[in-house]
Amino acid sequence: MADDVRALSAALARDPSGLVYVELAEALRRRGQVEEALRVVAHGLSRHPQHADGHDCLARIHVDRGDLAHAMAAWAHALEIAPEHVGALKGIGFLYFRQGEHRKALTALEHAIAAVPGAWATAWAALAASRL
């Protein structure tokens, strides 16, 4: 994983205006370097404010920091940009579930499934069958 961070950092240095900032921030987040990930994604979003994947990554970083309100806001912003963004829909569903709002969680997850009918529909059907 350290090699991934090095390679992604080098790629971002070669092309600071590129979108690789999301991959780098995500790699840092997975390594537990949440504050550094936040710095990287914030800088990337300053260059690409309409990049839904960047806002999705920002939301996951906020969740890791325990800042669920900012995570919800980042996912909502991602959905303003890309209404069918599966990561944001799943994330919002996750937050609603954690807050005990199961109906809202189910609605968000159903929307995510509808956005990518192939793989998600199969998984959903399997889950539904297992509960019968």
Side-chain angles (χ1 to χ4, degrees), residues 40-90:
V40 168
V41 81
H43 184 73
L45 284 170
S46 73
R47 290 177 178 258
H48 304 282
Q50 296 300 310
H51 189 220
D53 289 343
H55 291 282
D56 179 42
C57 182
L58 175 62
R60 287 191 305 273
I61 292 166
H62 283 311
V63 168
D64 287 353
R65 296 176 79 226
D67 188 348
L68 303 185
H70 280 103
M72 182 66 87
W75 275 319
H77 193 81
L79 290 174
E80 288 172 13
I81 297 164
E84 302 298 316
H85 194 283
V86 174
L89 290 166
K90 289 182 350 185

Side-chain angles (χ1 to χ4, degrees), residues 4-50:
D4 289 348
V5 169
R6 264 192 295 279
L8 292 167
S9 295
L12 187 58
R14 282 190 305 277
D15 183 11
S17 64
L19 299 178
V20 72
Y21 76 92
V22 174
E23 292 176 67
L24 175 57
E26 184 62 25
L28 290 165
R29 183 187 75 81
R30 282 194 216 120
R31 286 180 63 178
Q33 294 177 268
V34 179
E35 297 307 316
E36 181 65 12
L38 180 60
R39 186 190 68 72
V40 168
V41 81
H43 184 73
L45 284 170
S46 73
R47 290 177 178 258
H48 304 282
Q50 296 300 310

